[in-house]
Amino acid sequence: MKVLVIDDEDDIRQVARLALARVGGMEVADTSRSEEAVEIAVRERPDVVLLDVMMPGRDGPATLAALRADERTAALPVVFLTAKAMPAEIQRLKSLGATGVLTKPFDPMTLAAALRATLGAGA
Amino acid sequence: MSASWVESLRELRAEYLRRSPERLAEIEALLARATKDPGDPETLGALRLKFHSIAGTAATFGFAGATEPARSAEALVDEARARREPLSAETLGVLADALARLRALFEPPSGAGPEPEAATEPADVDRAWRVLAVTADPGEAAFVEAVLESGGHVVRVCTSAANVEADSRAFRPDLLLVDSELPGVAEHDVARLFGVMEGRPDFPVVFLDVGGGSGGPTEPSEATRDVRLVKPVAPGVLLSTVTALLERARSAAARPGSD
C-alpha cells in the first residue's frame, strides 16, 4: 500500500513516514504543498491520501474538493488527519466525502494499523 | 518493534524538543502582539495555529502533558474569533498561563530535563522522579527511556535481575518497571527483593507483559501496587500510568503518619 501524506508540519510528516513505512511496512510519499495535491497524487499514484485538515493556504477540505474535482483522483480514498477530535467535527469531515478520519495526536506505533482499519471500514 | 525504529523515533523526538523553544518564542511574540491589539484577526489566526500545532503533535512525540493546555488555549482563541471579539485581559492571562505550562514542560528546570545524559547525574535529579527499568531488551529499554524521559522522569536501565539491588541502591528509584520476560528470575522475585530491601512492600511496580490482555493498565493491586501493561504499550499509556503511580506514591508518602 502506498500512502501520500499531505501535512504542512515537518514533524508530522517525518513521524508519519516513520510510523507508516518502518512500522506499517507501507510505501510513503509526502508533501507540504496542498496546492499541488492533485499533480502530486497523479504522479505518485498512492492508494490512499492521509490529509491534514488545518493548514495555511489550501486547507484539508479544499484539498479534498480539488482531488474529487479531478477525474484522475476523484475516486482516491482520502483519510483526514485532524487535531479536532469532537464527534461533530469528525462527522462534518466525513460528510465532505472523506473515506475516514484519524485524530492527532496519534500513536506512531499504531498509525498504520489505524489507517488500515479505517480503509477497511470505509470499503 | 525494532531498536532502529525506536532510535529513529527518539531522534525525531529530540529534534522536536530542540525546536520547541522556537515554537514557544513565536507564541510569546504573538501574545505580545495580541496584548497590544487583542482584536487583530491575523494575530489571532496565527496564535490559534501555533497552539493547534502543539495540541496535535506534542503527544505524538511523547509530550502528552502539552496537549491539554495547548488545546484549551486554541479553544479560547477560537471562541474569540468566532464571536469576532478581541481577546479579553482575562483570556490573555489564561493564554499566558498555558504558555508557562508548555514552557515548564519543554524547558523544564534543571533536574527535570529530558536529555538522559544530563538527567542521570545524581546532583540534577532532585526534582525528577526516578524509574528503574529492568529489561534485557535493548529496543524496549530505548522505548521506555524515550517515553518516560519525555515526561521529565529520569530513567536508568538495569539489564539483569541480578543487578537490581545494586542499581536501586545507587539510583534510589521511585518506581520499578519490570519486563515480565526478564530472563533468570521470576518477575515477582524482582519486585519482592526490591520491596524487602527498601522496607516498602507497597513500592510501585509496573510489569510489562506479553499479549493476552486488554492492552490498558490493570488497577493496582491493593497489596503491592503492581500494575500490568500488555505489550506493545502505547507511549501515552506508559507515561500516564507511570506518572499516576508516582504521584499516588508521593501523595501517600507525604500524608502525616506515612512512612
Side-chain angles (χ1 to χ4, degrees):
Chain A
M1 179 187 294
K2 183 170 184 177
V3 185
L4 172 60
V5 178
I6 304 176
D7 197 305
D8 62 303
E9 304 233 28
D10 293 346
D11 302 308
I12 287 296
R13 291 199 314 279
Q14 287 178 17
V15 77
R17 176 179 281 278
L18 184 69
L20 297 172
R22 301 278 290 280
V23 179
M26 299 172 174
E27 191 178 351
V28 180
D30 67 77
T31 181
S32 62
R33 305 191 307 274
S34 55
E35 292 84 354
E36 300 170 26
V38 172
E39 290 72 22
I40 294 170
V42 168
R43 186 179 71 232
E44 296 289 344
R45 301 171 64 85
D47 299 296
V48 59
V49 175
L50 191 56
L51 179 60
D52 185 27
V53 173
M54 193 182 293
M55 293 182 282
R58 190 155 80 180
D59 66 8
T63 302
L64 174 62
L67 290 165
R68 292 284 178 262
D70 192 299
E71 63 179 10
R72 296 169 298 173
T73 55
L76 190 57
V78 174
V79 174
F80 275 123
L81 194 56
T82 179
K84 287 183 175 285
M86 292 78 76
E89 173 67 3
I90 290 173
Q91 193 54 46
R92 182 184 78 84
L93 294 172
K94 285 182 176 174
S95 73
L96 297 176
T99 309
V101 180
L102 295 176
T103 56
K104 291 193 287 188
F106 58 81
D107 182 346
M109 293 177 70
T110 58
L111 179 65
L115 180 59
R116 284 195 175 96
T118 300
L119 290 172
Chain B
M1 180 176 59
S2 69
S4 59
W5 185 91
V6 172
E7 190 56 37
S8 298
L9 181 59
R10 195 171 184 177
E11 287 170 8
L12 288 178
R13 174 189 158 270
E15 177 61 23
Y16 186 86
L17 190 63
R18 269 195 295 274
R19 291 172 54 189
S20 291
E22 181 186 333
R23 288 189 190 90
L24 300 182
E26 288 170 352
I27 291 177
E28 187 172 33
L30 287 167
L31 279 176
R33 273 169 55 187
T35 302
K36 291 178 182 171
D37 186 357
D40 177 43
E42 187 182 331
T43 302
L44 268 55
L47 197 52
R48 175 202 187 204
L49 269 179
K50 294 298 177 190
F51 281 122
H52 175 85
S53 170
I54 293 175
T57 59
T60 293
F61 293 92
F63 299 95
T67 304
E68 189 277 326
R71 186 164 280 163
S72 299
E74 180 194 358
L76 284 174
V77 181
D78 252 350
E79 284 175 21
R81 293 176 80 231
R83 293 196 307 262
R84 297 178 185 278
E85 290 178 359
L87 296 175
S88 67
E90 183 184 357
T91 298
L92 282 166
V94 174
L95 295 178
D97 286 345
L99 175 60
R101 288 174 65 188
L102 295 173
R103 192 154 268 156
L105 184 70
F106 290 118
E107 303 169 9
S110 63
E115 294 301 329
E117 292 78 11
T120 50
E121 291 299 322
D124 291 336
V125 299
D126 286 348
R127 297 188 57 170
W129 283 320
R130 290 179 285 265
V131 177
L132 183 63
V134 187
T135 174
D137 178 347
E140 183 170 271
F143 171 73
V144 166
E145 281 184 296
V147 171
L148 297 184
E149 286 167 2
S150 76
H153 305 316
V154 177
V155 180
R156 175 174 291 184
V157 175
C158 173
T159 57
S160 165
N163 295 334
V164 169
E165 184 172 357
D167 282 1
S168 57
R169 284 192 192 286
F171 185 56
R172 295 178 292 117
D174 300 296
L175 181 144
L176 198 59
L177 186 75
V178 182
D179 180 3
S180 295
E181 294 181 287
L182 186 73
V185 178
E187 60 192 44
H188 281 293
D189 291 341
V190 177
R192 192 176 300 120
L193 167 67
F194 192 83
V196 170
M197 188 189 71
E198 290 289 302
R200 292 177 57 188
D202 61 345
F203 192 87
V205 181
V206 175
F207 289 108
L208 299 179
D209 287 348
V210 182
S214 63
T218 61
E219 282 298 308
S221 153
E222 283 297 320
T224 63
R225 293 183 186 271
D226 296 359
V227 167
R228 316 194 74 90
L229 296 173
V230 178
K231 294 189 277 188
V233 183
V237 172
L238 176 61
L239 182 58
S240 62
T241 300
V242 165
T243 301
L245 281 175
L246 286 165
E247 287 174 348
R248 191 178 309 176
R250 284 222 172 149
S251 296
R255 281 197 295 271
S258 298
D259 54 18

